[in-house]
């Protein structure tokens, strides 16, 4: 892509970014929940933990005031730094969501342009800018906007590394830093490293240099994560890699009464005897116990695990309107009227299933390129799904891979429009750069 062509495309991309920002700001004006209103969920925990961090207390459990690793530190620490700089409040948190979401739109444009062409890039970026299920998350203090930006940026770097030439080492180090930061926000980001290896292998690069590239990026990611591990060993008495919710999350999806979803009959996962354990030590022991219980069930009930896997996948992809429930804290009277809520829900799910159908068309259209880097798009969705099948399913979990569906769906739109203009052209034929 020449500098002249880039300059010619910037006004259009800037307009799309403005649209993305405008619709999210409008949404926040309409819906602006307060995570400190008495609700007890992830939004309240992240918001309170960020406030403690901003006040100089470190990363602590906001309910006990003790050091914790109950959730990955990436989002609450980033939010805490923002609060330290700009003051504490939901306005600052939601403004950060808008910035991250619009930055993700730009990243998706770059991904689609690198893999396909300008038309696909524009459609993909505009689709993500106007995607209802993504917009609804703008008013929540959840990790999705930050993580999705980092995850999509990591994907873009994977695509760009083979083209980096003399800058390849720098690109690999950048990839490692982004993977490390994303993993500290949500551990599943580590799948980017094997995805990179697969993508570079599919692109025709020999496995030996591809392994070396992944190793370099992996070292950079490890250096980013290492200080957190050292901190956990010092303050929790255990070198916890990412967080102490690994065990509980595994157990929720894998025990005798598991449904494959978040909802469970029991109030809590299995808990150890407290004895003389400090709260941080107790947190680590509870994580380890739940992990053992969950793994034991998985190994001893393989048939049931197959059934649960289907339920988990369905729970992940059956709806794109879950943010409406998080905004309302599951209160039935939160929105202006039931009809407004139903309309918002139907809009999100209608767009979601239409996008999936268009992504299927895009897969058919790109079948000749799936052996190269374009194959990373469906492979990323599959790997992301597999990573969550181990735990449990929730519609919130598919948010970070919507960018891949948007790009494939955009490819489907471009091919369908081309087919309508030229009926003799079959899907998946050659396409020209616009």
């Amino acid at each position: 892509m020449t500098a002249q062509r880039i300059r010619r495309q910037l006004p259009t991309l800037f307009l799309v970014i403005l649209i993305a920002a405008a619709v999210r700001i409008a949404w926040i004006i309409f819906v602006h929940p307060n995570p400190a209103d008495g609700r007890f969920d992830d939004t309240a925990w992240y918001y309170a933990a960020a406030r403690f961090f901003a006040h100089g207390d470190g990363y602590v459990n906001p309910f006990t005031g003790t050091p914790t690793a109950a959730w990955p530190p990436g989002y609450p620490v980033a939010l805490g730094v923002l609060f330290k700089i700009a003051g504490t409040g939901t306005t600052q948190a939601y403004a950060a969501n808008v910035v991250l979401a619009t930055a993700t739109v730009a990243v998706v444009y770059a991904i689609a342009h690198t893999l396909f062409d300008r038309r696909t890039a524009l459609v993909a970026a505009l689709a993500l800018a106007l995607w209802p299920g993504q917009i609804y998350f703008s008013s929540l203090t959840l990790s999705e906007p930050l993580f999705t930006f980092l995850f999509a940026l990591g994907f873009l770097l994977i695509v760009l590394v083979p083209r980096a030439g003399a800058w390849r080492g720098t690109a690999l180090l950048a990839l490692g830093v982004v993977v490390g930061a994303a993993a500290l926000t949500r551990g599943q980001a580590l799948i980017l490293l094997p995805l990179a290896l697969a993508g570079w292998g599919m692109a025709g690069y020999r496995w030996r240099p591809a392994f070396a590239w992944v190793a370099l990026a992996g070292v950079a990611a490890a250096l980013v994560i290492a200080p957190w591990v050292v901190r956990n060993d010092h303050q929790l008495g255990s070198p916890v890699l990412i967080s102490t919710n690994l065990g509980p999350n595994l157990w929720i999806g894998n025990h005798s009464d598991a449904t494959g979803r978040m909802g469970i009959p029991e109030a809590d996962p299995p808990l150890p005897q407290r004895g003389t354990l400090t709260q941080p030590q107790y947190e680590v022991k509870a994580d380890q116990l739940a992990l053992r219980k969950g793994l034991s069930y998985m190994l001893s009930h393989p048939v049931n695990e197959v059934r649960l896997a289907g339920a988990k996948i369905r729970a992940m992809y059956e709806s794109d309107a879950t943010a409406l429930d998080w905004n309302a804290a599951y209160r039935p009277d939160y929105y202006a009227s039931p009809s407004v809520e139903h309309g918002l829900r139907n809009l999100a799910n209608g767009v979601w299933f239409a996008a999936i159908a268009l992504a299927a068309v895009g897969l058919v259209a790109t079948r000749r390129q799936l052996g190269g880097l374009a194959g990373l798009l469906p492979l990323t969705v599959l790997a992301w799904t597999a990573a969550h099948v181990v735990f449990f399913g929730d519609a919130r979990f598919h948010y970070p891979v919507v960018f891949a569906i948007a790009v494939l769906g955009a490819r489907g739109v471009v091919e369908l429009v081309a087919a309508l203009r030229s009926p003799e052209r079959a899907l998946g034929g050659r396409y020209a750069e616009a």
Side-chain angles (χ1 to χ4, degrees):
M1 190 167 31
T2 66
Q4 183 180 4
R5 185 176 295 170
I6 293 174
R7 286 194 297 270
R8 190 168 65 245
Q9 295 170 10
L10 281 178
T12 303
L13 176 58
F14 184 65
L15 177 61
V16 173
I17 289 173
L18 284 180
I19 292 171
V23 294
R24 283 160 177 79
I25 291 170
W27 171 257
I28 292 167
I29 292 172
F30 173 61
V31 176
H32 41 272
N34 182 0
D37 62 4
R39 64 182 68 199
F40 184 75
D41 59 14
D42 288 9
T43 65
W45 202 97
Y46 281 136
Y47 185 71
R51 294 181 65 181
F52 273 91
F53 189 87
H55 294 155
D57 297 307
Y59 188 43
V60 298
N61 186 319
F63 306 112
T64 63
T66 55
T68 187
W71 272 264
Y75 178 63
V77 169
L79 190 59
V81 171
L82 175 64
F83 287 168
K84 186 72 173 177
I85 296 171
T88 301
T90 56
T91 300
Q92 292 88 328
Y94 300 153
N97 287 345
V98 173
V99 172
L100 289 166
T102 54
T104 304
V105 168
V107 170
V108 168
Y109 183 95
I111 290 171
H113 199 294
T114 303
L115 292 178
F116 300 110
D117 56 30
R118 181 181 64 86
R119 289 193 183 95
T120 303
L122 179 59
V123 174
L126 187 60
L128 199 67
L130 297 174
W131 201 288
Q134 300 274 301
I135 294 169
Y136 299 165
F137 268 90
S138 302
S139 51
L140 293 167
T141 51
L142 289 174
S143 62
E144 271 72 10
L146 173 61
F147 179 80
T148 301
F149 168 70
L150 293 171
F151 193 73
L153 181 60
F155 185 99
L156 175 61
L157 287 168
I158 291 172
V159 172
L160 292 178
V161 160
R163 306 179 179 209
W167 292 94
R168 183 168 294 147
T170 302
L172 287 168
L173 290 174
L175 172 62
V177 170
V178 169
V179 170
L184 287 175
T185 306
R186 189 173 293 183
Q188 290 90 334
L190 293 173
I191 68 171
L192 283 170
L193 294 176
L195 281 172
L197 180 63
W200 296 331
M202 290 188 301
Y205 287 86
R206 294 168 59 185
W207 288 109
R208 182 172 293 180
F211 270 112
W213 296 354
V214 171
L216 179 57
V219 169
L223 290 174
V224 172
I225 298 171
W228 173 247
V229 176
V230 172
R231 174 265 186 191
N232 290 337
D233 191 44
H234 176 67
Q235 297 195 358
L236 277 68
S238 176
V240 175
L241 180 61
I242 301 295
S243 70
T244 54
N245 65 4
L246 174 67
N249 285 339
L250 185 76
W251 178 85
I252 287 171
N254 303 279
H255 66 281
S256 59
D257 293 319
T259 63
R261 299 172 180 267
M262 176 65 185
I264 54 176
E266 295 83 356
D268 293 294
L271 298 174
Q273 295 295 319
R274 180 175 292 274
T276 59
L277 296 174
T278 65
Q279 177 59 33
Q281 292 171 335
Y282 181 74
E283 180 182 305
V284 171
K285 292 295 183 184
D287 175 44
Q288 294 171 345
L289 176 61
L291 182 63
R292 289 197 302 271
K293 293 281 188 179
L295 288 174
S296 176
Y297 183 85
M298 292 174 69
L299 294 173
S300 59
H301 297 80
V303 175
N304 200 37
E305 285 296 307
V306 174
R307 178 188 64 80
L308 285 171
K312 294 171 184 178
I313 294 172
R314 177 177 177 177
M316 280 186 67
Y317 295 105
E318 67 186 1
S319 171
D320 198 39
T322 185
L324 293 175
D325 300 317
W326 284 87
N327 276 287
Y330 290 87
R331 283 167 37 199
D333 59 342
Y334 182 78
Y335 296 96
S337 69
S339 61
V340 170
E341 180 180 353
H342 292 325
L344 292 169
R345 197 174 298 276
N346 291 337
L347 174 63
N349 287 332
V351 170
W352 172 238
F353 291 114
I356 291 176
L358 288 169
V361 175
L363 272 176
V364 174
T366 59
R367 62 188 181 275
R368 296 177 182 175
Q369 297 136 285
L370 293 181
L373 284 172
L376 274 177
L377 291 167
L379 187 60
T380 296
V381 176
L382 290 174
W384 183 258
T385 303
H388 285 80
V389 164
V390 176
F391 300 98
F392 61 91
D394 190 272
R396 174 186 169 192
F397 295 161
H398 72 246
Y399 182 104
V401 292
V402 163
F403 80 88
I405 296 171
V407 174
L408 286 171
R411 189 72 228 141
V413 169
V414 170
E415 287 289 346
L416 285 174
V417 170
L420 289 173
R421 289 178 175 176
S422 304
E424 70 279 3
R425 172 181 168 177
L427 284 179
R430 296 175 60 86
Y431 59 87
E433 173 68 36

